[in-house]
Amino acid sequence: MKSCFNHPEKKAHSICHGCGKDYCELCLDEGKEFYYCRNPECQILLKKELYTDVLPANTICPNCKSGLELSEDERISGKVHCPECEALIDFKVNPPKVLNRENYVELLSSLNQGDIGLIKSILGNSNIDYYVFGENFLSVDPLIQPARFYVNESQEEEAKELLKDFKLHIWGTSKNQYD
Ligand SMILES: [Zn+2]
Ligand SMILES: [Zn+2]
Ligand SMILES: [Zn+2]
């Protein structure tokens, strides 16, 4: 009998589709098709499985009318930064709303895909209003353009507090915008 990775005394219910380890029922979340454990990386995969059809992969910028290709994260978050007119658009409301970028402050930037995923899950799990700009460039042009995290200025302190410990971890690989 296989046992749970977290609870050696419990019988494993299934494997996590993300990391492939065995877990008990308590340690797993059910997606549409697969089970996922609570690791931040695996939770991101779960969210992708659950929410990919929230927004289409291609849409039109309501501000400048140019065609937009959305990343998976943009489709999940609903917040899109138009590379043409630089507008930030919230597609979660109908009709989509062009947000006032002045209300958002740059929190930090990172070139590391693993860190980016982790920061997203930390902010997302705490319901921080954030968006990422430049992430689409990573796949095309790695190490040239960092992904930049912006948070709603009303939640800036809260976000900094959440990432306080994390900041040490990314030291050296990322440029921080605050001390
Ligand atoms: Zn996992
Ligand atoms: Zn368990
Ligand atoms: Zn635009």
Side-chain angles (χ1 to χ4, degrees), residues 16 18-19 23 37 39 42:
C16 166
C19 60
Y23 290 99
C37 76
N39 288 330
C42 301

Side-chain angles (χ1 to χ4, degrees), residues 16-17 24 42 78 112 128 147 167 178:
C16 166
H17 189 63
C24 70
C42 301
N112 182 303
I128 299 285
K167 212 179 102 186
Y178 60 92

Side-chain angles (χ1 to χ4, degrees), residues 75-134:
R75 294 166 72 186
I76 294 167
S77 74
K79 292 218 182 69
V80 178
H81 196 139
C82 173
E84 282 303 318
C85 67
E86 301 237 302
L88 174 64
I89 306 125
D90 186 355
F91 280 98
K92 280 279 161 74
V93 292
N94 199 3
K97 193 173 127 210
V98 178
L99 297 175
N100 186 356
R101 269 180 71 194
E102 256 110 71
N103 295 339
Y104 291 81
V105 287
E106 188 169 346
L107 191 65
L108 56 83
S109 54
S110 175
L111 287 164
N112 182 303
Q113 285 282 18
D115 287 344
I116 291 165
L118 217 52
I119 296 169
K120 275 193 222 161
S121 78
I122 292 171
L123 296 178
N125 288 340
S126 305
N127 288 320
I128 299 285
D129 180 17
Y130 77 98
Y131 71 93
V132 193
F133 180 53

Side-chain angles (χ1 to χ4, degrees), residues 61 63-64 66 82 84-85:
C61 171
N63 195 45
C64 71
S66 57
C82 173
E84 282 303 318
C85 67

Side-chain angles (χ1 to χ4, degrees), residues 160-175:
K160 281 181 180 174
E161 191 60 32
L162 284 167
L163 296 173
K164 205 173 59 188
D165 298 330
F166 188 72
K167 212 179 102 186
L168 298 170
H169 164 69
I170 59 177
W171 181 256
T173 59
S174 304
K175 171 173 72 94

Side-chain angles (χ1 to χ4, degrees), residues 13-21 23-25 27-37 42 46 49:
H13 176 65
S14 181
I15 63 162
C16 166
H17 189 63
C19 60
K21 295 190 182 110
Y23 290 99
C24 70
E25 260 169 318
C27 298
L28 292 167
D29 287 326
E30 201 173 347
K32 273 185 192 154
E33 231 180 306
F34 301 106
Y35 286 101
Y36 294 89
C37 76
C42 301
L46 167 69
E49 188 181 305

Side-chain angles (χ1 to χ4, degrees), residues 69-72 74 81 133-141:
E69 236 178 83
L70 307 186
S71 69
E72 272 189 83
E74 287 172 329
H81 196 139
F133 180 53
E135 197 192 7
N136 289 343
F137 299 128
L138 283 178
S139 47
V140 188
D141 245 340

